[in-house]
Amino acid sequence: MDIDKHTEAHHASSKAKYIKNMIYGGIDGIITTFSIIAACFGANLEIKYIITMGFANLIADGFSMGFGDFISSFFETKYILSEKDKESFEFEHNREYEVNEMIELYEREGLGHRDAKKMVDILVSNPLYQPFFIKSMVSLELGLEIPNDDYKKEIRTEALVTFFSFLVFGFIPLLAYLVGYWSDNENESDIFIIDCFITTMTIASLGCLQAHITKQSKLKGMLILTVNGIVSTSIAFGLGFGLERILN
């Protein structure tokens, strides 16, 4: 039986492990950029200022998002590995206590005492099973998943996915304004309406993409992200529109 083929066919795609980073970076890129555009339009700023502020946010916030993703995952992993070392130390120096604790943890998961003891006895019977024992202990007791040996590469990849997802999706709301500026179109209302449509379609497409990768309902995925985007950008437009009139 080919487990990898079965997993790919009946469960989420192998790319699904990066879905959090893609959605996190993509949706934040779209909404943040378009929120700035909506606020600037509501404040009645010229197109060149909207483009300038949009690009400044795109680069600065994109870097911040990617680096923040990396550094937070890095320190989280260091914390998990430190807990793993503590459990390994306890296993070596206080094995009986750890064995009884593992039996209790299995019982909490629904196993009977006899079956839980059999499982733990098997795990401690062979030194080769010790890593699995420690992994199970960290997972059941602390709710943490021990990372693979190449966790640094994985963290970098996740951070890059977040960064580029932010840049790619965040650039889309600026397209209509760039085209309008280069074509000397001074009708900002038309450009903003077109941009609203493009941004909404992009958010919906992102929701559909994440649903496709994770094999979930595409309609539900589209609606959740689209509603979130509409609410967020409406707030930004309302604040820009209101503050401009209050200050003037």
Side-chain angles (χ1 to χ4, degrees), residues 180-243:
Y181 182 75
W182 287 331
S183 62
D184 295 324
N185 187 340
E186 298 182 356
N187 194 326
E188 294 189 33
S189 296
D190 289 347
I191 296 175
F192 183 71
I193 292 172
I194 293 172
D195 204 36
C196 286
F197 176 78
I198 293 173
T199 301
T200 303
M201 291 299 100
T202 304
I203 294 174
S205 299
L206 183 60
C208 184
L209 177 61
Q210 66 89 15
H212 172 73
I213 293 175
T214 57
K215 292 182 170 63
Q216 303 296 319
S217 169
K218 292 182 175 62
L219 178 60
K220 184 178 180 180
M222 291 169 62
L223 286 175
I224 290 174
L225 293 194
T226 303
V227 170
N228 175 47
I230 291 174
V231 172
S232 302
T233 53
S234 296
I235 292 172
F237 173 79
L239 288 173
F241 183 84
L243 288 174

Side-chain angles (χ1 to χ4, degrees), residues 107-126:
E107 289 176 343
R108 289 182 184 179
E109 293 297 309
L111 274 68
H113 178 76
R114 180 180 296 180
D115 291 335
K117 189 175 185 305
K118 284 182 181 178
M119 291 183 65
V120 175
D121 287 341
I122 292 173
L123 291 178
V124 298
S125 66
N126 190 331

Side-chain angles (χ1 to χ4, degrees), residues 46-215:
E46 294 180 28
I47 292 180
K48 60 181 180 181
Y49 297 121
I50 295 177
I51 294 174
T52 300
M53 294 179 67
F55 268 108
N57 166 79
L58 186 65
I59 303 303
D61 206 11
F63 174 80
S64 177
M65 287 278 292
F67 183 75
D69 192 350
F70 174 82
I71 204 70
S72 60
S73 296
F74 180 79
F75 283 113
E76 180 186 31
T77 302
K78 287 296 183 182
Y79 159 67
I80 295 173
L81 292 177
S82 70
E83 293 299 321
K84 173 193 172 185
D85 292 340
K86 291 177 186 177
E87 292 294 344
S88 298
F89 180 85
E90 292 173 358
F91 182 82
E92 293 293 336
H93 296 84
N94 196 2
R95 181 170 301 193
E96 183 178 353
Y97 177 83
E98 290 297 295
V99 167
N100 291 329
E101 186 178 25
M102 180 64 90
I103 292 173
E104 182 179 343
L105 288 170
Y106 277 137
E107 289 176 343
R108 289 182 184 179
E109 293 297 309
L111 274 68
H113 178 76
R114 180 180 296 180
D115 291 335
K117 189 175 185 305
K118 284 182 181 178
M119 291 183 65
V120 175
D121 287 341
I122 292 173
L123 291 178
V124 298
S125 66
N126 190 331
L128 295 176
Y129 299 158
Q130 181 177 335
F132 183 78
F133 181 96
I134 301 301
K135 182 178 181 179
S136 300
M137 175 66 75
V138 172
S139 176
L140 294 174
E141 184 180 13
L142 304 174
L144 302 174
E145 183 177 352
I146 296 175
N148 298 324
D149 293 335
D150 60 344
Y151 69 90
K152 290 183 180 179
K153 178 182 178 182
E154 190 69 20
I155 290 173
R156 286 196 297 268
T157 301
E158 291 179 353
L160 287 173
V161 171
T162 299
F163 173 68
F164 284 111
S165 183
F166 187 98
L167 290 185
V168 170
F169 287 100
F171 176 73
I172 293 174
L174 288 169
L175 280 174
Y177 276 86
L178 286 172
V179 172
Y181 182 75
W182 287 331
S183 62
D184 295 324
N185 187 340
E186 298 182 356
N187 194 326
E188 294 189 33
S189 296
D190 289 347
I191 296 175
F192 183 71
I193 292 172
I194 293 172
D195 204 36
C196 286
F197 176 78
I198 293 173
T199 301
T200 303
M201 291 299 100
T202 304
I203 294 174
S205 299
L206 183 60
C208 184
L209 177 61
Q210 66 89 15
H212 172 73
I213 293 175
T214 57
K215 292 182 170 63

